[in-house]
Amino acid sequence: MAEIVLREALKRGLEEALDNDPRIFMMGEDIGEYGGAYAVTDGFLKKYGPERIKDTPISEQAFLGAGIGAAAAGLRPIVEFMSMSFTLVAFDQIVNMAANIRYMSGGQISVPMVIRAPTGAGVQLGATHSQSFETWLAEVPGMKVVCPSTPYDALGLLRSAIKDDNPVFMAEPALLYGAKGEVPDEYYDIEIGKADVTREGSDVTLVSYGYGMRPLNEAADRLSAKGVSVEVIDLRSLSPLDITTVVSSVQKTYKLVVVDNARRTGGIMAEVAAEVQERASEWLDGPIMRVGSDDVPWPYNRGLEREVLTDADDILRAVEYGFGL
Amino acid sequence: MASSTKPSSKPSSKRFKSSKNGAGGSEGLDESGVAANIDHLHLFRQMFLIRQFELACGENYSNGMIRGFLHLYVGQEATGVGAISALRDDDYIVSHYRDHGHALARGVDVNRSMAELFGRATGTSKGKGGSMHIFDAAKRFMGGHAIVAGQMPLAAGLALAQQYEKTDGLTICFFGDGSTNQGIYHETMNLAAVWKLPVLFFLENNMYGMGSSIERVRAGGIDFYPGMSTYEIPAAEVDGMDVLAVREATETAVARIRAGAGPQFIEAKTFRFVGHSLADGQKYRGQKEVKEWEQRDPINTFPALLIKKGMATQKQIEEIKARVDEEVAEAVEFAERSPEPDPSEIDTDILA
Ligand SMILES: Cc1ncc(C[n+]2csc(CCOP(=O)(O)OP(=O)(O)O)c2C)c(N)n1
Ligand SMILES: [Mg+2]
C-alpha cells in the first residue's frame, strides 16, 4: 500500500492496460509530445510509440468518432478530452453514435471505448472551461458514466471501465488530479454501478460524488464534531446509478442531503432525490435537501467563483434548515 | 428555381476525369468500353434488385406497412453497385440513411432488410433500427447512419483499426453532397489524411441535399473533387450513371489504398429520380431536369449496352428481371409474415 496522487493512479491504470492488451491505444489532443493537458500521459509516447499514443488534431468530433469506429472493429480505444466543456463539440458522436449504435444494430455492434475528461470548476477558467456535463450523459442509455473522488477509486473504476465492452465515460475532477490517497499494490477493481458508503452513521445521510466529496467530507467532520452521526455515500457511478445503497441508508437515518459540485438544477442529484422520494418516502423525516453550485455561468473572479461553488457551509446550512441539526 | 443540373454528357471512352491529384486511366476496359473480366449480368441484377426493392418499399410506405422516414435510392443504383463490386469481403462499408442500395449491393439479406423496414423481429436489427439504420456486421456493413455526416469518423475509425492491425483492408464511406457542409466532414478529411488512413470517401453527388440544390448552399459550385487538394487527398470524378465507370474508378482508388497511399476520394455525379424521402413533394425542382436524368437511367442503359455489345441477350435480361421480381415479392411476403418484436426486446441490446 502506497500513498499516491490521483494522476498517478490513472497513469498506473493506463500503463498496465497498454502493457497487457495490444488492442488498447490512446487518442487525444496533446497527449503525446506535450504529455497531456493534465500530464496524465506524460512519458507515454516514448514508452508506447506514436501508433498507440496518438496526438490528434483539434477535432473532437473526428477523433471521438474514430474511436467509435476503431472500437466497432474490435480495438479498445481510450480517448482523452482536454476538458469536459469541450465534449460538447462531440456530443453528437458520443450520444448518437457511441451510445445508440448497439441498440440500432440490434446488438450487432459494441463500442468498448473509454472516454476520459477533466471536469469541474475551481481554478478560475471561466464559463467555457469549468462545466460538469457528466450529469447530462448519465441520462443517455447505452453508455456508463463514472466519476472518482480518490486515487483508489480512480484506479479501480478505470480498470473496470477499460474491461467494459460498452462506452464508459470517466469524468475526472480536475481539482483532484493532485489529491493523495492510499492505493494497494495488489490488483483490485471497482464494479461500475456500486456506490460506496465511506462513513457509517445514523442521524443523516449525505450523498455526493467526485469533487463534491470534498466539501461533503468537511461538512461531515464538522457535523460529527457537533455530535451528529453522519452517513456518507460516494456515488462513484452516475450511470448505472446505485439508488439501492442510498435508499438503504435513508431507511437507517431517515434524512437525506444530496450534494452536487455541478450546477444545482437538473443535475444527477435531482434524479437521486426523485428516486428516493418515490421508493422511500415513508422513511423520510423531512424534505430531501439538495445542495449544488449556483445556476450561473462560471465566473472568472476568484471570490465570485468560490461563492458559486458548493462548499461545506452550504451543506451545513441545508442540514440545519431541513432537519435542525 | 435553382439552375438545372444537367446530366453530364454521355460517358466518353475515357470514363472518368481526375483532379490534379488523381490519376485517371481506363485500365480493364477494352476499346468498346466494356471490361472483359466482370460479371456484367450480376451488376445488372444487383441494380435491378435495388430498383425493384425500392419501388416495393415505396408501395409499402403508401399502404402504411413501412413508417418513419424512407429515403429511396432510385436513380443512384449504378453508383453503389459499381463501387461495392470493387471491394473485398473483409472491407468495411459505412453508409448514411439512404442505405438500402448499399446494403443490397453488399449482399445483405433481402428478406431481412425488408423485414427491418417493416419493423419486424426478423429484421437486420430486429426492428429496432428501421430504414435509416440497416446493419449487418457479419457482412461488414456497418450502418445506416442518420445524422448527416455523422458516419464519416466512424469510417475513419474502422480504417484506423485496419491500419493498426496492419491488414490491407479498407473502409468505404458513402455520403451525400449535403454532408460536405458539416464541420465533422472536414475534420474527418483532415484526420484521415494526416494519419494516412485506408479509407475511400465516396461522394454521391445527386445535386441536392433534401430540397437544397448545391448552388444554393455551397460556395464553389457543383464539383467537389477539385477541393480535395486542400487535404492532399487524391480525388477523381466519375459518371455515377455508368456502373462500369464507377467500378473502374473504385478499383483504381482501392488499389492505391491497399498499396498504402492513404485516403482517396471519388465523386460520382448521380441523381435521385424520386423525392428526398417519401414525404417530399419536390417543389424545389422541375420535372424537366428529372426527365433529362432519367434518359440516363442505368437500369435501361446498361442492359442496352450489354445487348448492343453482344454480351447479353434480351432473354437473359428478362430472366433476371423476372427472378428479381419474384425475390422482391418474396421479401415483402416474408416481412408481412414476420412477427412483431416481443416487448421484451425493448430492454435488450442497450449494454453489452
Ligand atoms: C445533422 C442533421 N441535420 C439535418 C438532417 C435532416 N436531413 C436528412 S438528409 C438531409 C439532406 C442530406 O443531403 P445529402 O447529404 O446530399 O444526401 P442525399 O439525401 O442527397 O443522399 C437532411 C437535411 C439530419 N438527418 N441530420
Ligand atoms: Mg444529395
Short mmCIF file of all heavy atoms in Angstrom, two decimals, chain B residues 261-284:
data_model
loop_
_atom_site.label_atom_id
_atom_site.label_comp_id
_atom_site.label_asym_id
_atom_site.label_seq_id
_atom_site.Cartn_x
_atom_site.Cartn_y
_atom_site.Cartn_z
N ALA B 261 -1.35 4.21 -49.99
CA ALA B 261 -1.33 5.62 -50.37
C ALA B 261 -2.22 6.50 -49.50
O ALA B 261 -2.26 7.70 -49.67
CB ALA B 261 -1.75 5.77 -51.84
N GLY B 262 -2.95 5.90 -48.57
CA GLY B 262 -3.83 6.70 -47.71
C GLY B 262 -5.17 6.96 -48.35
O GLY B 262 -5.52 6.33 -49.35
N PRO B 263 -5.94 7.88 -47.77
CA PRO B 263 -7.32 8.06 -48.22
C PRO B 263 -7.42 8.52 -49.66
O PRO B 263 -6.54 9.21 -50.17
CB PRO B 263 -7.86 9.14 -47.27
CG PRO B 263 -6.66 9.83 -46.73
CD PRO B 263 -5.56 8.81 -46.70
N GLN B 264 -8.50 8.11 -50.31
CA GLN B 264 -8.81 8.53 -51.68
C GLN B 264 -10.24 9.02 -51.69
O GLN B 264 -11.03 8.68 -50.80
CB GLN B 264 -8.66 7.36 -52.66
CG GLN B 264 -7.33 6.61 -52.57
CD GLN B 264 -6.18 7.34 -53.24
OE1 GLN B 264 -6.31 7.81 -54.36
NE2 GLN B 264 -5.05 7.45 -52.55
N PHE B 265 -10.55 9.78 -52.72
CA PHE B 265 -11.88 10.40 -52.79
C PHE B 265 -12.44 10.20 -54.19
O PHE B 265 -11.74 10.44 -55.18
CB PHE B 265 -11.72 11.89 -52.49
CG PHE B 265 -12.99 12.70 -52.48
CD1 PHE B 265 -13.62 13.02 -51.28
CD2 PHE B 265 -13.54 13.20 -53.66
CE1 PHE B 265 -14.78 13.79 -51.26
CE2 PHE B 265 -14.69 13.97 -53.64
CZ PHE B 265 -15.32 14.27 -52.44
N ILE B 266 -13.68 9.76 -54.26
CA ILE B 266 -14.35 9.66 -55.55
C ILE B 266 -15.65 10.45 -55.47
O ILE B 266 -16.40 10.31 -54.49
CB ILE B 266 -14.66 8.20 -55.93
CG1 ILE B 266 -13.35 7.44 -56.18
CG2 ILE B 266 -15.55 8.13 -57.17
CD1 ILE B 266 -13.54 5.95 -56.48
N GLU B 267 -15.88 11.25 -56.46
CA GLU B 267 -17.15 11.96 -56.57
C GLU B 267 -17.92 11.40 -57.75
O GLU B 267 -17.49 11.52 -58.89
CB GLU B 267 -16.92 13.46 -56.78
CG GLU B 267 -18.21 14.20 -57.11
CD GLU B 267 -18.04 15.70 -57.29
OE1 GLU B 267 -16.89 16.19 -57.19
OE2 GLU B 267 -19.04 16.38 -57.54
N ALA B 268 -19.04 10.77 -57.45
CA ALA B 268 -19.89 10.25 -58.53
C ALA B 268 -21.03 11.23 -58.74
O ALA B 268 -21.76 11.57 -57.81
CB ALA B 268 -20.43 8.88 -58.16
N LYS B 269 -21.18 11.69 -59.97
CA LYS B 269 -22.31 12.56 -60.29
C LYS B 269 -23.50 11.67 -60.58
O LYS B 269 -23.46 10.81 -61.48
CB LYS B 269 -21.99 13.43 -61.51
CG LYS B 269 -20.87 14.45 -61.28
CD LYS B 269 -21.36 15.62 -60.46
CE LYS B 269 -20.46 16.86 -60.53
NZ LYS B 269 -19.02 16.72 -60.51
N THR B 270 -24.54 11.84 -59.79
CA THR B 270 -25.68 10.96 -59.92
C THR B 270 -26.95 11.75 -59.65
O THR B 270 -26.91 12.98 -59.55
CB THR B 270 -25.53 9.73 -58.99
OG1 THR B 270 -26.65 8.88 -59.13
CG2 THR B 270 -25.37 10.14 -57.54
N PHE B 271 -28.06 11.07 -59.54
CA PHE B 271 -29.33 11.78 -59.40
C PHE B 271 -30.37 10.83 -58.82
O PHE B 271 -30.44 9.67 -59.20
CB PHE B 271 -29.81 12.26 -60.78
CG PHE B 271 -30.74 13.44 -60.74
CD1 PHE B 271 -30.25 14.71 -60.47
CD2 PHE B 271 -32.10 13.28 -60.95
CE1 PHE B 271 -31.10 15.82 -60.43
CE2 PHE B 271 -32.96 14.37 -60.92
CZ PHE B 271 -32.45 15.65 -60.65
N ARG B 272 -31.14 11.34 -57.88
CA ARG B 272 -32.28 10.52 -57.44
C ARG B 272 -33.49 10.95 -58.24
O ARG B 272 -33.79 12.13 -58.35
CB ARG B 272 -32.52 10.62 -55.93
CG ARG B 272 -32.69 12.00 -55.36
CD ARG B 272 -33.16 11.98 -53.92
NE ARG B 272 -32.94 13.27 -53.28
CZ ARG B 272 -33.68 14.36 -53.49
NH1 ARG B 272 -34.69 14.32 -54.31
NH2 ARG B 272 -33.40 15.48 -52.87
N PHE B 273 -34.14 9.96 -58.84
CA PHE B 273 -35.28 10.26 -59.70
C PHE B 273 -36.53 10.57 -58.88
O PHE B 273 -37.53 11.01 -59.43
CB PHE B 273 -35.59 9.07 -60.62
CG PHE B 273 -34.45 8.70 -61.54
CD1 PHE B 273 -34.40 7.44 -62.12
CD2 PHE B 273 -33.45 9.62 -61.86
CE1 PHE B 273 -33.37 7.09 -62.99
CE2 PHE B 273 -32.42 9.27 -62.72
CZ PHE B 273 -32.37 8.00 -63.28
N VAL B 274 -36.46 10.27 -57.60
CA VAL B 274 -37.63 10.45 -56.73
C VAL B 274 -37.32 11.52 -55.69
O VAL B 274 -36.23 12.09 -55.66
CB VAL B 274 -37.98 9.11 -56.03
CG1 VAL B 274 -38.44 8.09 -57.05
CG2 VAL B 274 -36.78 8.61 -55.24
N GLY B 275 -38.27 11.80 -54.83
CA GLY B 275 -38.06 12.81 -53.81
C GLY B 275 -37.01 12.39 -52.79
O GLY B 275 -36.61 11.23 -52.75
N HIS B 276 -36.60 13.34 -51.97
CA HIS B 276 -35.61 13.06 -50.93
C HIS B 276 -36.08 11.92 -50.04
O HIS B 276 -35.35 10.98 -49.75
CB HIS B 276 -35.39 14.32 -50.09
CG HIS B 276 -34.65 14.06 -48.82
ND1 HIS B 276 -33.31 13.74 -48.80
CD2 HIS B 276 -35.06 14.03 -47.52
CE1 HIS B 276 -32.93 13.55 -47.54
NE2 HIS B 276 -33.98 13.72 -46.76
N SER B 277 -37.31 12.03 -49.59
CA SER B 277 -37.93 10.93 -48.86
C SER B 277 -39.35 10.83 -49.40
O SER B 277 -39.74 11.59 -50.28
CB SER B 277 -37.95 11.22 -47.35
OG SER B 277 -38.92 12.22 -47.06
N LEU B 278 -40.09 9.92 -48.85
CA LEU B 278 -41.45 9.77 -49.34
C LEU B 278 -42.34 10.94 -48.91
O LEU B 278 -43.48 11.06 -49.33
CB LEU B 278 -42.04 8.44 -48.85
CG LEU B 278 -41.77 7.20 -49.71
CD1 LEU B 278 -42.87 7.01 -50.73
CD2 LEU B 278 -40.41 7.24 -50.42
N ALA B 279 -41.78 11.83 -48.09
CA ALA B 279 -42.55 12.99 -47.64
C ALA B 279 -42.31 14.20 -48.54
O ALA B 279 -42.83 15.27 -48.29
CB ALA B 279 -42.17 13.32 -46.20
N ASP B 280 -41.51 14.01 -49.59
CA ASP B 280 -41.03 15.14 -50.40
C ASP B 280 -41.92 15.36 -51.63
O ASP B 280 -42.05 14.48 -52.48
CB ASP B 280 -39.58 14.83 -50.82
CG ASP B 280 -38.99 15.90 -51.72
OD1 ASP B 280 -39.65 16.92 -51.97
OD2 ASP B 280 -37.85 15.69 -52.17
N GLY B 281 -42.49 16.56 -51.75
CA GLY B 281 -43.31 16.89 -52.91
C GLY B 281 -42.52 17.49 -54.07
O GLY B 281 -43.08 17.84 -55.10
N GLN B 282 -41.20 17.60 -53.89
CA GLN B 282 -40.28 18.09 -54.94
C GLN B 282 -40.68 19.45 -55.53
O GLN B 282 -40.60 19.67 -56.73
CB GLN B 282 -40.13 17.06 -56.06
CG GLN B 282 -39.54 15.74 -55.58
CD GLN B 282 -39.12 14.85 -56.73
OE1 GLN B 282 -38.24 15.21 -57.50
NE2 GLN B 282 -39.76 13.72 -56.87
N LYS B 283 -41.07 20.37 -54.64
CA LYS B 283 -41.43 21.71 -55.10
C LYS B 283 -40.21 22.50 -55.56
O LYS B 283 -40.33 23.51 -56.22
CB LYS B 283 -42.12 22.47 -53.96
CG LYS B 283 -43.57 22.04 -53.76
CD LYS B 283 -44.25 22.88 -52.71
CE LYS B 283 -43.78 22.48 -51.33
NZ LYS B 283 -44.59 22.91 -50.22
N TYR B 284 -39.06 22.05 -55.17
CA TYR B 284 -37.83 22.81 -55.38
C TYR B 284 -37.17 22.54 -56.73
O TYR B 284 -36.14 23.11 -57.05
CB TYR B 284 -36.83 22.48 -54.26
CG TYR B 284 -36.65 20.98 -54.09
CD1 TYR B 284 -35.72 20.27 -54.84
CD2 TYR B 284 -37.46 20.27 -53.20
CE1 TYR B 284 -35.59 18.90 -54.71
CE2 TYR B 284 -37.34 18.89 -53.06
CZ TYR B 284 -36.40 18.22 -53.82
OH TYR B 284 -36.29 16.86 -53.70
#
